Amino acid sequence: MKQERKTHFQEGRRAQQQLENGFKQLENSKRKFERDCREAEKAAQTAERLDQDINATKADVEKAKQQAHLRSHMAEESKNEYAAQLQRFNRDQAHFYFSQMPQIFDKLQDMDERRASRLGAGYGLLSEAELQVVPIIAKCLEGMKVAAEAVDPKHDSQVLIELHKSGFARPGDVEFEDFSQPMNRAPSDSSLGTPSDGRPELRGPGRSRAKRWPFGKKNKTVATEDFSHLPPEQQRKRLQQQLEERNRELQKEVDQREALKKMKDVYEKTPQMGDPASLEPQITETLSNIERLKLEVQKYEAWLAEAESRVLSNRGDSLGRHARPPDPPAGAPPDSSHNHGSQDNKESSEEPPSEEGQDVPIYTEFDEDFEEEPTSPIGHCVAVYHFEGSSEGTISMAEGEDLSLMEEDKGDGWTRVRRKEGGEGYVPTSYLRVTLH
């Protein structure tokens, strides 16, 4: 409709331009007629003056008369041309105002009426759609209200904690270091400023701040394939997700390989259905994918085992450190009860983690090969063509035979069916007309 409106305006502009050109031609012919009339009148006056002059020769008089006659003839032609141009312009002007413009305006009016009609229909459809959507929106708002009333802040915060907990062990108590007397102090994991070689550590500002203070500014880390840049608990979760994803891809490739093998067996026993050699590239590619995915699964399993052991060790270390009382200063008098308690706690901290932590499985694996197959059919189908099931896993069927659908086509071109007289097997999907329950 926009293009139609543009076309009508272009027609009006063309008609108006033609009328303007005609008016310009009329003005030009009018000025020419006026100029020729003045020159003819001037030539006639000149000839009359020479005719009355007694000093003028006969040749000058004749020449002046001829010039006056010529100018009079040119003025007459200009008059005729001006009259014709004026008549043509009046005719074009009447056609423009009484025929062309009314037609263009009628077309624009018709177009605008159709536009208004369509707008009305559109607004009607919009209002109907809004009326249909309003109950749905009201239902959604009611659901939002119910969900808002059912918000459990404690549960939500606990879910967030489980999602983002790091798994790092809590730092131990800072030990007292006596610098008042020279002595060889045994290094400890929790002491600040004493490295393992016994030399004093040059501590700068914020040397151990990133390790001890959880709200310090974090440095940018580089992502690694084993997610070692993440905290232990987050690393374990990400490795678990990657392992499950690789297992799903591996099972998919195994299913595809089995389907290709079945199709190859059918092609070998029934050559008219296809060439077995054409499936070799796909089988080779599937085998290479299976080997690659198996290696990736083993790699992620090893990483996951390390992450699980790290999480369990962090839990054990944290429990051991916080169950042990703080060590007394080096200069304090020895206390037998403290020594006895610290010795017991040290022995308990060196024991392996609890049975509960060790019984946590590294990952859960579901074997799809041992899932129970559905015993009831999911639909029925009719054999469109006869099929002779001569290879392993296939079943024969006659044209027009009614069969029970036990399993849909998984993309390999085969469907598992059951005959009424008993027996199940795979038949080509293109040979069936399937109806699901």
Side-chain angles (χ1 to χ4, degrees):
M1 190 169 289
K2 185 177 180 181
Q3 185 64 30
E4 182 181 356
R5 178 186 179 90
K6 184 177 179 181
T7 302
H8 295 331
F9 278 115
Q10 288 177 351
E11 292 178 358
R13 281 193 293 269
R14 282 197 299 268
Q16 185 174 349
Q17 187 67 32
Q18 291 177 359
L19 186 63
E20 290 177 356
N21 293 335
F23 183 74
K24 289 180 181 179
Q25 293 177 2
L26 176 63
E27 288 293 325
N28 292 334
S29 62
K30 179 180 178 182
R31 284 195 295 269
K32 183 181 178 182
F33 173 55
E34 183 180 3
R35 185 175 60 254
D36 290 343
C37 287
R38 284 198 301 267
E39 291 179 356
E41 184 178 359
K42 187 186 297 183
Q45 291 177 357
T46 302
E48 184 178 357
R49 187 175 63 254
L50 289 174
D51 187 28
Q52 294 177 359
D53 189 2
I54 58 176
N55 297 323
T57 62
K58 186 177 180 180
D60 292 337
V61 174
E62 288 296 330
K63 184 178 180 181
K65 288 182 178 180
Q66 290 179 2
Q67 187 69 20
H69 180 72
L70 178 61
R71 291 295 181 182
S72 176
H73 181 70
M74 291 176 62
E76 190 66 25
E77 290 181 354
S78 297
K79 179 181 178 181
N80 295 333
E81 183 181 356
Y82 169 62
Q85 189 67 33
L86 180 61
Q87 185 178 4
R88 188 182 304 111
F89 173 76
N90 290 332
R91 184 177 65 250
D92 293 342
Q93 182 176 248
H95 178 67
F96 176 79
Y97 285 105
F98 290 96
S99 179
Q100 284 184 315
M101 292 306 297
Q103 290 178 2
I104 294 174
F105 287 146
D106 290 341
K107 291 178 182 178
L108 289 172
Q109 181 181 357
D110 179 66
M111 182 202 66
D112 194 74
E113 291 175 356
R114 284 187 283 112
R115 182 183 65 86
S117 176
R118 292 182 183 180
L119 283 175
Y123 288 139
L125 293 175
L126 177 62
S127 60
E128 291 178 2
E130 288 289 341
L131 290 175
Q132 294 176 1
V133 171
V134 164
I136 301 175
I137 296 177
K139 189 175 180 181
C140 293
L141 293 175
E142 291 177 0
M144 293 172 61
K145 182 180 179 181
V146 172
E149 294 174 352
V151 169
D152 187 359
K154 292 187 177 297
H155 177 266
D156 294 344
S157 62
Q158 191 63 34
V159 170
L160 184 65
I161 292 171
E162 290 295 327
L163 182 63
H164 294 285
K165 64 181 180 180
S166 65
F168 282 129
R170 297 181 180 89
D173 297 332
V174 180
E175 297 179 358
F176 176 78
E177 299 182 15
D178 191 1
F179 294 96
S180 61
Q181 54 184 354
M183 61 180 295
N184 293 327
R185 294 179 298 278
S188 61
D189 293 337
S190 61
S191 62
L192 289 177
T194 306
S196 59
D197 57 359
R199 292 177 298 179
E201 181 184 4
L202 297 177
R203 292 191 297 269
R207 177 67 181 265
S208 60
R209 186 180 300 168
K211 182 178 179 181
R212 290 186 170 272
W213 316 132
F215 298 104
K217 185 180 295 185
K218 297 181 180 179
N219 297 327
K220 293 184 178 179
T221 57
V222 179
T224 56
E225 188 179 3
D226 59 350
F227 303 105
S228 58
H229 63 286
L230 297 176
E233 187 68 25
Q234 298 296 322
Q235 181 188 13
R236 184 187 66 81
K237 290 180 180 180
R238 294 295 296 272
L239 289 174
Q240 180 72 36
Q241 294 175 359
Q242 292 293 328
L243 184 59
E244 292 176 357
E245 189 174 330
R246 295 301 188 279
N247 283 327
R248 285 195 296 268
E249 294 179 2
L250 179 59
Q251 186 61 39
K252 184 178 178 181
E253 293 292 337
V254 171
D255 294 341
Q256 186 175 359
R257 182 190 62 182
E258 295 299 328
L260 290 173
K261 285 184 177 179
K262 291 180 182 179
M263 189 177 296
K264 183 179 178 181
D265 293 340
V266 173
Y267 286 176
E268 290 176 350
K269 296 180 179 180
T270 312
Q272 60 269 21
M273 294 187 64
D275 184 13
S278 62
L279 300 177
E280 287 297 334
Q282 300 181 28
I283 295 176
T284 304
E285 182 181 358
T286 303
L287 291 175
S288 63
N289 291 337
I290 290 175
E291 293 299 327
R292 176 180 56 81
L293 289 172
K294 284 183 178 179
L295 293 177
E296 291 185 4
V297 167
Q298 294 176 1
K299 179 173 62 176
Y300 278 105
E301 285 177 350
W303 287 341
L304 184 59
E306 294 178 4
E308 287 284 350
S309 63
R310 191 178 301 111
V311 171
L312 294 177
S313 65
N314 286 339
R315 291 176 183 172
D317 293 344
S318 178
L319 292 175
R321 279 197 299 269
H322 286 273
R324 181 181 63 193
D327 296 334
D335 189 353
S336 60
S337 62
H338 282 285
N339 292 338
H340 182 69
S342 64
Q343 182 69 21
D344 293 343
N345 288 332
K346 181 178 181 182
E347 293 177 358
S348 64
S349 64
E350 293 176 354
E351 293 179 357
S354 63
E355 301 259 335
E356 180 182 358
Q358 292 179 349
D359 291 338
V360 177
I362 295 178
Y363 61 91
T364 306
E365 195 172 19
F366 297 96
D367 193 352
E368 297 181 1
D369 295 335
F370 297 96
E371 291 183 356
E372 294 184 359
E373 297 181 354
T375 56
S376 59
I378 61 175
H380 68 277
C381 50
V382 180
V384 182
Y385 305 104
H386 173 75
F387 176 71
E388 189 66 30
S390 55
S391 61
E392 182 181 358
T394 60
I395 190 173
S396 301
M397 63 179 181
E399 182 179 355
E401 182 179 357
D402 291 331
L403 304 165
S404 297
L405 179 64
M406 305 305 297
E407 183 180 331
E408 289 188 86
D409 185 0
K410 294 184 178 180
D412 54 0
W414 295 89
T415 301
R416 188 160 64 91
V417 297
R418 177 190 294 171
R419 303 184 68 179
K420 290 184 178 180
E421 57 269 17
E424 293 184 14
Y426 288 91
V427 297
T429 306
S430 58
Y431 283 34
L432 301 174
R433 185 170 62 250
V434 179
T435 303
L436 297 176
H437 289 329

